[in-house]
Amino acid sequence: MIETGSLRPLGAVLVAALSIVGIVVFRARPNVREGWSVLGALGTVAVIASMVPGVLAGQAYVTDLGTFVPGVRFALRVDPLGLLFGLLASLLWVITTFYSIGYMRGLDEHAQTRYFAAFAASVAAAVGVAFARNLLVLFVFYELLTVATYPLVTHDETGEARAAGRKYLAYTFGGGVAVLAGTVLLYVLTGTTAFTPGGIAALAEADPVLARAVFALLLTGFGVKAALMPLHSWLPDAMVAPTPVSGLLHAVAVVKSGVFGIARVVLDVYGPGLMGDLGVGLPLAAIAAFTLLTASVIALRKDNLKRRLAYSTISQLSYIVLGLAILSPASMVGGLLHIPAHAFMKLTLFFCAGAIHVETHTDDISDMAGIGRRMPVTMLAFAVASAGMAGIPLVAGFVSKWYLLIGSVGSGQAIFAVVLLLSGVLNIAYFWPIVYQAFFETPEASDRKPLVESPLGGRYGDGPAATRADGGRPGDGRDEDPKGDRSESDRNDTAATETPLGSGTTRETDSEAAGETPPPETQDSPTETDAVQSEGEQAVDRYPSDHALPGDDRERDENTADSKNETAGPGEDRESSEHSTFHDHAYDEPHGPPAGGWEQRAFGEESSWFVLGPILTVVAGAVVLGIVPYWAIFLRVVELIVAGVTGTPRVVG
Amino acid sequence: MIPTVAVTGTAPLTGVVAALLSGVGPASVEQLLATSANSPLPPLLVAVPLLVSIATLAVGYRFDRAAWSIAAIGAVLQVAIAGTLAWRVVTAGRVIHVLGGFVPPFGIVLVVDGLSALVALLIAVVTVGVLVYLRQAGPRGLGTTGDVFNMYVFLEITGLAAYALVASGDSGLAAVAALKYLMLGTVGASLFLLGVGYALIATGTLTMADLAVRLAEVGYQSTPVRAAFAFMTVGLGVKIALFPLHTWQPDAYSASPDGVSAFISALVSTVSAYALVRVVYSVFTVEFFAANPLARDLLLYGAALSVIAGSTLAVTQREVKRTLAYSSVSQFGLVAVGFALTNRAGLVGGIIHLLGHAVMKGSLFLAVGIIAIRTDARTIEEYAGLARRVPVASAAFAVLAFAMIGVPPAVGFVGKWYILLGAVEAGEPVVALVVVASTLLTLAYFARLIERMYFSPVTDSTGPAGTVADGGESSAGRDGRESESAVADGGSAGTDAATVDRNAEDTRDTRNDSDVEADTSAGADTDGDAGSAELDPVTDDPSGREVTAGMTAVVVLAAIVAVALGLLATELEALLRPTLEVLLS
Amino acid sequence: MSAVTDLLLTRYNYLAVVVLSGIGMYMMIENRNLVKKVIGMNVFQTAIFLFFITTAYVEGGAPAILESGGGGGGGPYVSPLPQVLILTAIVVGVSLTAVALALIVRIYAEYGTLDEEALREVTGE
């Protein structure tokens, strides 16, 4: 590989980072500010894309900024593996920026400047992670990524968001500390931290016990962001973030930076050969396989769509790790290819979840029966992407899983092939009901969701809180409300005087009390009032359907539901989704299907094009990646990576 | 090195003391203007040492002699200015200078009267004296300078200034804290002196270079030598505020004015830590540790304990300045760990972290000061939602805090990297673990603050925003939860009962502040005739003070420096190299 | 017997130093009155001064002073260095005491008490 000095690697990071300045400076003018976001994203992609031909031709671009600490250069280097991640993150950033604009404006979110600035910072850090020349520089950007994403996780400024932010910081800094320790040990052992395709030679001569310890430390550190069990639990909580964040960062940039770190460690620090000698591949594969299956099973039990997607992410990330850990060339191709494949598919799914939230304020799968009538394109995209997740051909997921299967069978570790197939089945099990009910069921005639609900060796609703697509929770908009405590006490009064079926009358007494006072069916169920709820848990979590009646918290009662819903009515549903003033109070608004089922919307009328456009683009990307993976560059890059590591020119036929 | 440190140590002293003695309340300004002679000299008195110290810092790392010359010229200049001023004061009574022509209440008037002129002259002379002494003692300037008794005198003079500075706080609490500081500081210095005595008995000399040789001749395992080391280290430990010798420090930091907290944390403790390096490496040398592994282990593990204990205590504090104070205990523990490792990486890490900490912690205190002036917020609870009200200072605070946590590439990380490297190279897994964990411990108390500043609703009395997780919770339950400082679910005051509860808490919190205000008003009466009373440029009186652009600029600049220093670590190490060679040989 | 006697006879100065510094330390820690604490501090310092001075003492030594005309004791001199040092240290100590007393005056003016416990209650620690 020929190394060429170039400022382009640094340029890619800087363009993204400098767009922050524009975003902050023009904070008073949203259109210009968003223009800077788009400009930053496009600029980053352009710079990175300009390096693609060179990298495919065997070049590597290096920016060397001098010595950082003795023996470690502060250098950025674009090699195939870095290009894979950098290109992916920046490409999807462009799409997500447009989606963010639609989403944030659709919900009239607060602190949008902070949001866009932190977003740009996160992507800049992710690109830095991708292009890091050595482990220490990677660590630098890895930590910066943590800091940059923290404001996004806590964006809502609610108690739940803060708790999630705390957890996020604790987990990721804990991981960072492990990476730091591993890096120092590695440096002491080998005198270098630079990435070398096929592994650092000096490491092979080091004490095997210490080498294994370093591996364990690095894996623990990167495993946090890669959400390997048991280090995963920050990820579902982080779903309180706005959906574009969950989409790009918590399905692509942040979590993949963890996976990317693992890939670097496996491919460029240890190398498959040394991993095999040290015998650390198999334990890693076992952890990945365990995570893969367990997360799928947990996903089955989640009623909140974003939480289910989060567990799906945890499971899918382990595909990548598993592919790397099996150590056969084909499985590595599969694993690495799954990085872009999963990114495109999962981003589609999150975008769909966000679109549903923006339009209908529905977050729970059990409320989504028949929603295909309301949002046909969105749900179609959702169906395609979930098919890809399950590994059905013609979508991206199939290609990567195919390589993974070949790799695991070919290397004599057929057990992992079984795990992969089983996980495919589970994928179908947790995605299919969503798609099916969206198109073929109505709110009146639908099955219970989620499919698996009863305790499996644990209490139900173990998650700290139900996560809404925007992370909203009761009264989050009330933070800024000077009349906060008044409406609060009003609401308490309401709750106290209310009878289970008296929602209609209460609503009348209530309506003049405060404009923001939530419609009764969301807040006032007496079970909510007297239930001893664990901290942070919401009624939604306990009662998958908010139509649930006291004493009958699981069974639906369609009649009551209908009568309650009439108080809200479809008209108000429409109104509130169109008038953004109400959008901060997401929880207060009617959500779930309106009475009489979802209305029919034609193609293109279901949401704004700022939302639909990105969805269609990403899902198209997922399909392209599934049909013509070579043409879509990513597979070529991946094969280049694996060839560089193993020395075999073409991995699989 | 020494001239640089000495000048940097004493120059701000001059500045601060001059400033300390010169601020005058607006009431007496007209009278002052009428009765005093105007002169451009007072600002020079403050500016010259600062400029000189910067110049010596800049030049000194390359050209040691030039540094000394500049320092000497500066110090002489300082003496000349102070002398002239003193003369003018003697002849004309009072000398004032209206800075930039801005008349109070917006501008600053520097007033030099007899006392402040004398103090300024004294400091200037001491500076020159120290410089002259250094010139004689070590022409190379590095590693061979100083004598341990002078170090004692220097420590005590710095200490004296620090005690006075702490006491310059407006409240009576400041006096109590200063007394506590004084007593413990004196004990520390006396123990140091005792150590010097043992060294003297053992060797008959006090010059560092000589001591190093003679101590080796006497034998590092002889009892007087060991005793000397023990007393000197413990004495310095008090001054540095290592756990468990730190008890003076939180009170002193929290009771003194913010500028003084910054000064003490940035300079006084730092200078003491610097003295520790000198004692450990120049006087006792690395061989002493080799001969007495127990001494090294005690210092090392004591410092490691300081890291953990300091952080743990910091987490439990409610007042921001106390949190920062305990944070200093922890960070100086880290510095001492670096020193005690006695290898190159550890020493470099210790020094870098020492410098970095001075920048970071000093400016954190300044940021806290700005925030306090703007919003009167002092406790962690009161920091909720501050980012919207004080955006720039909050941003600087956040950057500095993350730098302190050790987020790369800021200086906090680089120091930690070196220390960690040193710990691993020295084969000290436990210490390495502590160093690594210190990141998380630091995170524990800073993340709490940052979260409140940026992501919590404002909780001041005008609008206690209600974010109640679930509308149906009984108020009794909420009260119980409310009493905890960090409410996990973010449910804050929503009902009347909870609001009352909060107000009660506020009352408790602000009682100290009301003391402050009462004292200010009481002090204002006596100020008129005293002329040189204890007013300080940065007092914590929210009503009458404005945040100048300069104050904000300093904090922002410090935040940038904290990050930039990290990227310049290699250059720093290159500059330190000659010193390191001497110290580690 | 011999060890203790030996100590008492030849090292009594150290013993005095230890006793004095112990008394000083004890006063500083245990006494509730702030002024007495400062006195304790002084005692403690004095112990250390004593330590210096006595170590410099040489049996039968003369002061290290040369009289004009070459007079003065020939023989052994006591070491002048510690005496010089302690002279400085005393000055430092005195100024410290002055500052401490000034602070105490201020505390008394502020709170009307010099009792540590009472002060603690007043200041709300």
Side-chain angles (χ1 to χ4, degrees):
Chain A
M1 187 164 294
I2 315 129
E3 295 207 341
T4 321
S6 165
L7 283 177
R8 278 186 270 177
L10 180 67
V13 179
L14 279 188
V15 168
L18 287 179
S19 68
I20 300 168
V21 178
I23 291 168
V24 174
V25 167
F26 291 100
R27 59 186 175 279
R29 298 166 67 190
N31 288 334
V32 183
R33 179 188 67 198
E34 262 79 301
W36 275 96
S37 282
V38 174
L39 211 64
L42 286 175
T44 312
V45 162
V47 173
I48 295 176
S50 75
M51 289 182 279
V52 170
V55 171
L56 286 179
Q59 262 193 330
Y61 297 89
V62 178
T63 313
D64 197 327
L65 298 173
T67 306
F68 182 38
V69 289
V72 182
R73 310 284 295 174
F74 199 103
L76 299 171
R77 176 173 184 267
V78 182
D79 59 358
L81 183 54
L83 184 76
L84 175 74
F85 183 43
L87 186 63
L88 180 72
S90 57
L91 196 64
L92 294 182
W93 184 31
V94 177
I95 302 168
T96 310
T97 304
F98 285 108
Y99 182 82
S100 287
I101 296 170
Y103 183 90
M104 299 303 278
R105 294 191 175 183
L107 288 176
D108 200 25
E109 283 277 350
H110 66 280
Q112 291 196 20
T113 303
R114 183 178 78 200
Y115 169 86
F116 281 108
F119 215 112
S122 304
V123 178
V127 173
V129 167
F131 294 163
R133 175 79 176 85
N134 55 52
L135 204 50
L136 190 63
V137 177
L138 194 151
F139 172 73
V140 168
F141 286 107
Y142 191 76
E143 292 287 88
L144 287 176
L145 183 60
T146 301
V147 175
T149 27
Y150 172 65
L152 296 171
V153 174
T154 41
H155 177 82
D156 269 344
E157 304 186 5
T158 57
E160 187 194 358
R162 284 195 293 275
R166 273 197 290 277
K167 194 168 187 177
Y168 177 68
L169 277 189
Y171 269 78
T172 48
F173 267 107
V177 155
V179 174
L180 177 63
T183 309
V184 167
L185 273 177
L186 180 73
Y187 178 71
V188 172
L189 281 183
T190 66
T192 180
T193 60
F195 296 130
T196 322
I200 296 172
L203 198 57
E205 287 124 43
D207 181 0
V209 177
L210 277 178
R212 285 192 193 102
V214 172
F215 187 81
L217 279 171
L218 292 175
L219 253 291
T220 311
F222 291 122
V224 170
K225 276 193 183 146
L228 283 179
M229 282 186 178
L231 306 168
H232 68 285
S233 86
W234 63 272
L235 184 59
D237 285 1
M239 290 297 138
V240 293
T243 306
V245 174
S246 311
L248 183 62
L249 298 180
H250 296 141
V252 183
V254 173
V255 290
K256 295 266 160 62
S257 76
V259 172
F260 180 79
I262 293 177
R264 281 289 193 202
V265 170
V266 169
L267 300 177
D268 292 348
V269 174
Y270 281 77
L274 183 59
M275 293 241 325
D277 294 345
L278 292 174
V280 289
L282 198 61
L284 181 60
I287 294 171
F290 172 78
T291 308
L292 204 149
L293 283 181
T294 315
S296 298
V297 172
I298 296 175
L300 273 178
R301 299 158 49 76
K302 292 294 167 189
D303 187 39
N304 182 289
L305 181 54
K306 278 182 76 181
R307 270 186 183 265
R308 187 175 286 194
L309 291 179
Y311 277 100
S312 163
T313 303
I314 295 171
S315 158
Q316 298 283 334
L317 290 171
S318 285
Y319 278 70
I320 305 169
V321 178
L322 182 61
L324 292 167
I326 287 175
L327 297 178
S328 87
S331 73
M332 279 185 218
V333 170
L336 292 172
L337 190 63
H338 204 59
I339 292 178
H342 170 251
F344 276 97
M345 296 183 298
K346 188 51 65 65
L347 196 59
T348 309
L349 294 176
F350 270 114
F351 280 2
C352 292
I356 294 170
H357 174 78
V358 171
E359 288 301 317
T360 69
H361 297 284
T362 305
D363 302 310
D364 292 342
I365 294 161
S366 48
D367 289 338
M368 289 182 187
I371 204 168
R373 287 163 58 83
R374 170 72 176 78
M375 312 194 74
V377 178
T378 308
M379 290 315 294
L380 209 61
F382 192 95
V384 171
S386 41
M389 281 289 177
I392 290 168
L394 296 185
V395 192
F398 167 72
V399 186
S400 48
K401 288 197 185 182
W402 173 251
Y403 278 109
L404 279 173
L405 284 173
I406 292 178
S408 52
V409 174
S411 64
Q413 292 167 305
I415 175 79
F416 293 122
V418 176
V419 168
L420 286 168
L421 289 174
L422 194 58
S423 158
V425 174
L426 286 170
N427 265 295
I428 295 175
Y430 63 75
F431 278 128
W432 176 247
I434 306 173
V435 177
Y436 177 81
Q437 71 163 5
F439 289 110
F440 304 116
E441 287 184 355
T442 59
E444 293 77 33
S446 58
D447 303 320
R448 269 177 46 195
K449 313 281 178 316
L451 285 180
V452 184
E453 216 175 29
S454 54
L456 281 180
R459 65 195 171 87
Y460 173 69
D462 55 341
T467 316
R468 314 170 52 76
D470 75 338
R473 66 183 287 152
D476 60 342
R478 221 167 286 123
D479 292 354
E480 288 85 34
D481 182 5
K483 295 181 299 193
D485 30 6
R486 191 162 70 84
S487 58
E488 184 69 24
S489 53
D490 285 343
R491 198 170 63 183
N492 285 344
D493 294 344
T494 310
T497 58
E498 187 136 39
T499 57
L501 291 170
S503 42
T505 52
T506 320
R507 178 170 169 72
E508 282 164 19
T509 59
D510 209 17
S511 55
E512 43 80 39
E516 289 80 12
T517 307
E521 75 269 24
T522 60
Q523 288 289 345
D524 54 6
S525 159
T527 30
E528 265 183 62
T529 312
D530 57 22
V532 185
Q533 295 187 347
S534 63
E535 192 172 275
E537 189 178 28
Q538 281 190 353
V540 175
D541 218 16
R542 297 164 56 90
Y543 312 116
S545 158
D546 64 343
H547 303 277
L549 280 173
D552 189 15
D553 49 1
R554 294 289 143 74
E555 290 295 326
R556 304 178 63 116
D557 185 329
E558 275 85 17
N559 293 331
T560 323
D562 286 349
S563 67
K564 285 175 91 175
N565 271 318
E566 271 160 17
T567 63
E572 184 172 326
D573 184 26
R574 286 289 308 281
E575 183 182 300
S576 55
S577 61
E578 281 163 19
H579 294 292
S580 53
T581 42
F582 286 94
H583 281 157
D584 270 357
H585 313 270
Y587 193 85
D588 305 342
E589 290 174 39
H591 59 280
W598 299 101
E599 61 178 309
Q600 181 96 41
R601 290 271 186 111
F603 173 80
E605 288 176 10
E606 60 192 73
S607 186
S608 78
W609 281 103
F610 263 129
V611 173
L612 278 185
I615 292 177
L616 291 175
T617 316
V618 188
V619 78
V623 173
V624 167
L625 212 56
I627 298 174
V628 279
Y630 266 96
W631 183 79
I633 295 174
F634 285 112
L635 185 53
R636 282 161 70 188
V637 175
V638 166
E639 294 212 328
L640 205 59
I641 299 165
V642 176
V645 171
T646 59
T648 45
R650 277 302 286 277
V651 180
V652 186
Chain B
M1 195 76 189
I2 290 255
T4 317
V5 170
V7 171
T8 18
T10 50
L13 267 181
T14 324
V16 172
V17 170
L20 174 77
L21 297 168
S22 61
V24 162
S28 55
V29 165
E30 276 136 7
Q31 180 200 346
L32 258 178
L33 289 174
T35 58
S36 309
N38 206 338
S39 161
L41 284 177
L44 284 180
L45 191 64
V46 184
V48 165
L50 287 175
L51 289 176
V52 167
S53 67
I54 291 168
T56 39
L57 265 181
V59 179
Y61 283 120
R62 278 264 169 263
F63 311 104
D64 207 42
R65 280 165 179 275
W68 185 88
S69 310
I70 292 175
I73 292 168
V76 171
L77 198 62
Q78 180 75 357
V79 172
I81 296 167
T84 319
L85 264 178
W87 177 246
R88 299 270 317 251
V89 169
V90 170
T91 52
R94 238 185 325 217
V95 178
I96 65 164
H97 179 81
V98 183
L99 270 184
F102 293 107
V103 177
F106 303 109
I108 299 171
V109 179
L110 290 178
V111 182
V112 181
D113 63 4
L115 183 59
S116 57
L118 276 180
V119 172
L121 190 61
L122 185 70
I123 289 175
V125 171
V126 167
T127 310
V128 172
V130 169
L131 281 172
V132 169
Y133 175 78
L134 292 173
R135 183 70 171 170
Q136 288 169 341
R140 298 287 302 167
L142 300 169
T144 55
T145 54
D147 98 18
V148 280
F149 181 76
N150 255 40
M151 193 177 264
Y152 161 75
V153 175
F154 182 55
L155 274 180
E156 275 300 45
I157 290 174
T158 318
L160 264 176
Y163 310 144
L165 286 172
V166 170
S168 71
D170 283 321
S171 69
L173 277 179
V176 178
L179 190 66
K180 193 171 176 183
Y181 182 16
L182 187 144
M183 297 231 209
L184 283 164
T186 307
V187 170
S190 302
L191 288 175
F192 182 81
L193 186 60
L194 199 56
V196 172
Y198 274 106
L200 180 67
I201 292 174
T203 64
T205 180
L206 286 174
T207 314
M208 283 187 190
D210 213 11
L211 262 179
V213 178
R214 299 272 188 93
L215 281 174
E217 286 167 6
V218 172
Y220 287 120
Q221 291 187 327
S222 79
T223 311
V225 175
R226 283 177 173 170
F229 178 81
F231 280 122
M232 286 167 103
T233 316
V234 171
L236 288 174
V238 173
K239 287 277 182 180
I240 301 172
L242 289 177
F243 182 86
L245 309 169
H246 68 280
T247 50
W248 59 270
Q249 192 226 33
D251 286 340
Y253 280 18
S254 60
S256 54
D258 301 310
V260 172
S261 311
F263 176 79
I264 303 177
S265 66
L267 279 182
V268 178
S269 290
T270 306
V271 167
S272 309
Y274 164 80
L276 182 68
V277 181
R278 285 280 156 202
V279 166
V280 167
Y281 286 94
S282 296
V283 177
F284 286 90
T285 71
V286 182
E287 279 91 47
F288 175 79
F289 277 149
N292 297 287
L294 182 65
R296 171 177 175 273
D297 287 353
L298 279 179
L299 185 58
L300 188 61
Y301 290 111
L305 182 67
S306 188
V307 173
I308 295 171
S311 305
T312 313
L313 289 167
V315 173
T316 61
Q317 299 305 310
R318 292 189 52 195
E319 213 177 310
V320 176
K321 279 177 81 175
R322 289 185 86 89
T323 306
L324 292 182
Y326 280 111
S327 160
S328 284
V329 174
S330 162
Q331 301 298 328
F332 274 110
L334 210 52
V335 170
V337 164
F339 294 158
L341 283 169
T342 55
N343 58 19
R344 190 193 174 88
L347 183 57
V348 173
I351 293 174
I352 289 181
H353 201 63
L354 187 65
L355 294 176
H357 175 266
V359 172
M360 293 185 288
K361 187 56 61 65
S363 13
L364 277 171
F365 273 115
L366 290 178
V368 166
I370 291 177
I371 288 167
I373 292 172
R374 279 270 168 81
T375 66
D376 202 21
R378 292 225 166 254
T379 62
I380 289 172
E381 281 80 10
E382 287 166 359
Y383 264 49
L386 265 185
R388 288 196 188 83
R389 292 194 282 167
V390 201
V392 178
S394 300
F397 187 96
V399 169
L400 289 164
F402 275 118
M404 189 73 99
I405 291 169
V407 172
V411 67
F413 164 73
V414 181
K416 211 167 274 185
W417 163 267
Y418 276 106
I419 296 172
L420 185 55
L421 199 60
V424 172
E425 280 175 354
E428 294 282 352
V430 178
V431 175
L433 196 68
V434 170
V435 174
V436 162
S438 73
T439 303
L440 293 180
L441 294 169
T442 316
L443 178 73
Y445 52 80
F446 274 129
R448 196 167 61 136
L449 273 170
I450 292 171
E451 180 192 303
R452 294 219 167 244
M453 291 167 80
Y454 278 90
F455 305 110
S456 292
V458 182
T459 55
D460 60 3
S461 53
T462 53
T467 322
V468 177
D470 34 15
E473 195 178 349
S474 73
S475 63
R478 197 178 301 121
D479 284 349
R481 205 186 290 171
E482 195 64 35
S483 59
E484 288 175 18
S485 60
V487 183
D489 72 345
S492 50
T495 66
D496 292 343
T499 314
V500 168
D501 186 32
R502 178 168 296 272
N503 286 342
E505 270 183 31
D506 282 353
T507 318
R508 276 199 298 281
D509 293 341
T510 51
R511 193 176 57 199
N512 295 349
D513 293 359
S514 56
D515 286 344
V516 171
E517 278 157 21
D519 182 62
T520 315
S521 55
D525 300 334
T526 56
D527 273 351
D529 51 336
S532 61
E534 77 291 346
L535 274 172
D536 185 74
V538 190
T539 53
D540 41 11
D541 173 19
S543 53
R545 299 210 58 86
E546 299 259 335
V547 176
T548 62
M551 290 165 74
T552 313
V554 165
V555 175
V556 171
L557 200 67
I560 294 168
V561 167
V563 177
L565 266 183
L567 292 170
L568 297 175
T570 327
E571 283 70 20
L572 264 179
E573 203 216 353
L575 295 171
L576 288 171
R577 194 163 295 141
T579 326
L580 293 176
E581 303 300 331
V582 177
L583 289 181
L584 285 170
S585 62
Chain C
M1 161 64 190
S2 67
V4 177
T5 329
D6 189 48
L7 192 71
L8 281 174
L9 289 177
T10 62
R11 296 274 187 269
Y12 54 89
N13 58 329
Y14 292 117
L15 216 59
V17 167
V18 169
V19 169
L20 271 181
S21 59
I23 291 171
M25 197 66 117
Y26 182 79
M27 277 178 83
M28 284 178 72
I29 294 169
E30 201 52 35
N31 211 304
R32 286 166 52 164
N33 188 310
L34 290 180
V35 176
K36 290 183 183 168
K37 272 178 184 290
V38 173
I39 294 173
M41 187 180 85
N42 275 330
V43 172
F44 182 75
Q45 283 188 303
T46 311
I48 290 165
F49 299 160
L50 194 65
F51 171 74
F52 266 78
I53 297 297
T54 52
T55 54
Y57 180 69
V58 178
E59 191 71 44
I65 302 169
L66 281 181
E67 286 170 13
S68 57
Y77 295 111
V78 294
S79 170
L81 185 60
Q83 301 178 14
V84 175
L85 297 185
I86 291 316
L87 217 55
T88 319
I90 287 172
V91 173
V92 173
V94 167
S95 52
L96 276 171
T97 312
V99 172
L101 291 175
L103 288 172
I104 287 174
V105 168
R106 190 169 155 198
I107 291 170
Y108 188 77
E110 190 89 32
Y111 298 109
T113 177
L114 288 179
D115 186 286
E116 197 186 27
E117 296 298 318
L119 206 58
R120 198 166 284 159
E121 278 174 27
V122 176
T123 55
E125 269 179 40

